[in-house]
Amino acid sequence: MEQFDTVILGAGAAGLFCAGSILVEAPGGAGRIAVLDHARAPGEKIRISGGGRCNFTNLASAPDRFLSRNPRFCASALAGFTARDFVDLVDRAGIAWHEKTLGQLFCDGSARQIVDLLLHRMRGCELRLETRVDAVDPEPGGFVLRGPQGALRTRRLVVASGGKSIPKMGATGIGYDIATRFGLDLVEPRAGLVPLTFAAQDLDLCRPLAGLSLTAEVVHGSGRGRTRFRDGLLFTHRGLSGPAILQVSSFWRPGEPIIVDLAPELDLSAALRELRGQGGRVALGTALSRWLPTRLAEAVCAELGLAGARLADQGNAALDRLANRVNRWQLRPVGSEGWRTAEVTVGGVDTRGLDSRSMQAKAVPGLYFIGEVVDVTGWLGGYNFQWAWASAHAAAKAIAAG
């Protein structure tokens, strides 16, 4: 049976980066390292991310941009390897990049450049693709991994197998199975950064507007648990999508409402009253289209029975009702599109069983969990890649030191 010093399960962002980081932290003394994956190619989620240009980090990465049952768990790893640290690697590799809104960094060229960077960095490690692992068992001094290709031994095992999102890319629950096998708890995994779906009465408005986009603010929850995101909103045949909806989907739970402000920079009631005072002979839909896309303005007026109505003929109550519909549109999603289109998994291996500085299981020496398999989920916009880099670096540093 083959013997390794470290086996990393998963050739995605976290797994590839961990392998390279072990070599960097312990050059010449890292022992034999293998990265295993059942996929045909490494880094497939990197390759398709960011429209093929890979939103590889976010300059605003901080613990408050991540969801977890323990919100402070990620702080140590994020401080140990920052967004600027990864940018330095990208710069040294000669990869051109640009910043979009909200600190999001993308390659100027292809996401494949990031995959190539990671593969170059881990030269000296063995990469074994199309290699499935079905079971992991403990043995004195390490672990035995078993699969169709046979069995192998390792002193240390790093689980970087990801979550359940995008199953067409080969996502499985093997990481959760391993965690459970070794006595770690799970925070129930659920789909995150995913379009929400809606009931028939809401779809009656959304479907005719499919393809229309605008900047909106979406609010979920109340009090200290309130979250709000101002970003793009997209009408689709299934309901609503776009960055603002994807962001709030990670917080939303079945049965809960959301509130959408279609004109977040505007007190629409006051604006309509002011315009009415200037004459108001214009059609209400035409007036509303000053601030909303024309199709949306007309659809909202029609929904409220105001199609063709003149602004001058509307009393304050009617204008308030229209403004409430635009600035405080309350919706109750009936579900989400699920794992098929989810960009990330919310939940995963419970952080209470992990050391935040090393990502090692507290009760199982030599067993590490990094990346998406852990109950740490970032906002949309490069945060989840930064968690992959940071958690991988934390594990690699601990492995090299041990």
Side-chain angles (χ1 to χ4, degrees):
M1 192 182 300
E2 285 190 282
Q3 176 72 46
F4 291 87
D5 294 283
T6 303
V7 167
I8 299 169
L9 187 56
L16 297 176
F17 194 71
C18 185
S21 295
I22 295 172
L23 296 182
V24 170
E25 295 293 328
R32 192 179 181 194
I33 303 169
V35 179
L36 313 181
D37 203 299
H38 66 282
R40 294 181 178 180
E44 282 295 271
K45 285 184 74 173
I46 299 173
R47 183 183 60 80
I48 67 169
S49 68
R53 292 193 173 182
C54 188
N55 181 189
F56 56 82
T57 193
N58 194 300
L59 296 177
S61 292
D64 65 357
R65 303 300 171 96
F66 294 83
L67 291 75
S68 175
R69 182 171 287 180
N70 176 4
R72 295 300 303 172
F73 176 83
C74 61
S76 178
L78 292 172
F81 190 85
T82 68
R84 291 292 181 185
D85 290 327
F86 193 78
V87 171
D88 286 345
L89 291 178
V90 171
D91 286 342
R92 289 201 297 272
I95 300 172
W97 54 270
H98 60 278
E99 180 180 352
K100 286 192 175 180
T101 59
L102 307 175
Q104 301 168 15
L105 304 189
F106 291 77
C107 297
D108 286 356
S110 167
R112 181 70 206 183
Q113 294 173 288
I114 299 297
V115 178
D116 290 342
L117 162 63
L118 300 180
L119 293 175
H120 178 80
R121 193 167 174 268
M122 60 168 281
R123 288 185 307 171
C125 302
E126 297 181 40
L127 176 60
R128 298 188 179 184
L129 302 172
E130 298 184 276
T131 302
R132 198 175 81 212
V133 173
D134 293 329
V136 177
D137 297 310
E139 69 168 16
F143 309 89
V144 176
L145 283 66
R146 307 182 192 279
Q149 288 82 11
L152 56 83
R153 289 191 175 98
T154 182
R155 291 171 52 210
R156 294 175 292 258
L157 175 62
V158 181
V159 181
S161 53
K164 292 185 175 182
S165 57
I166 319 183
K168 69 179 181 181
M169 302 296 293
T172 72
I174 182 65
Y176 308 137
D177 296 339
I178 294 171
T180 302
R181 169 73 175 85
F182 286 90
L184 281 80
D185 292 330
L186 298 179
V187 176
E188 182 182 4
R190 55 190 176 87
L193 299 182
V194 61
L196 299 176
T197 56
F198 296 87
Q201 66 269 21
D202 298 320
L203 291 178
D204 288 342
L205 175 75
C206 293
R207 281 176 175 149
L209 297 173
L212 186 149
S213 63
L214 72 162
T215 297
E217 184 170 271
V218 182
V219 180
H220 168 267
S222 60
R224 295 185 66 182
R226 172 169 294 202
T227 55
R228 60 177 69 233
F229 293 97
R230 184 176 298 187
D231 211 323
L233 179 78
L234 175 67
F235 288 85
T236 76
H237 287 95
R238 294 188 179 92
L240 296 174
S241 186
I245 290 292
L246 298 183
Q247 292 278 34
V248 92
S249 73
S250 294
F251 297 84
W252 176 83
R253 294 298 186 98
E256 296 176 341
I258 61 172
I259 297 173
V260 179
D261 186 347
L262 296 169
E265 299 289 346
L266 180 71
D267 180 343
L268 183 60
S269 180
L272 287 172
R273 292 184 196 204
E274 181 180 352
L275 189 60
R276 184 185 59 187
Q278 297 171 2
R281 294 182 177 276
V282 66
L284 192 55
T286 302
L288 192 57
S289 66
R290 291 189 175 202
W291 304 291
L292 296 179
T294 300
R295 279 201 298 153
L296 177 58
E298 293 175 349
V300 170
C301 288
E303 183 185 48
L304 298 180
L306 296 171
R310 291 195 316 164
L311 175 59
D313 298 333
Q314 308 307 310
N316 288 344
L319 296 186
D320 288 344
R321 187 163 65 102
L322 178 61
N324 191 64
R325 173 60 179 75
V326 171
N327 289 135
R328 289 172 295 279
W329 180 23
Q330 181 166 306
L331 295 151
R332 197 175 296 273
V334 296
S336 77
E337 293 188 5
W339 298 117
R340 181 180 64 83
T341 56
E343 294 191 21
V344 296
T345 300
V346 180
V349 177
D350 195 327
T351 60
R352 291 177 299 180
L354 303 177
D355 184 301
S356 63
R357 293 167 298 178
S358 67
M359 309 305 295
Q360 183 173 214
K362 294 176 180 177
V364 189
L367 180 62
Y368 302 78
F369 292 85
I370 61 175
E372 189 181 350
V373 74
V374 179
D375 175 34
V376 174
T377 306
W379 291 6
L380 182 73
Y383 295 103
N384 288 292
F385 276 127
Q386 186 55 38
W387 170 244
W389 317 138
S391 60
H393 177 265
K397 192 169 181 179
I399 289 169

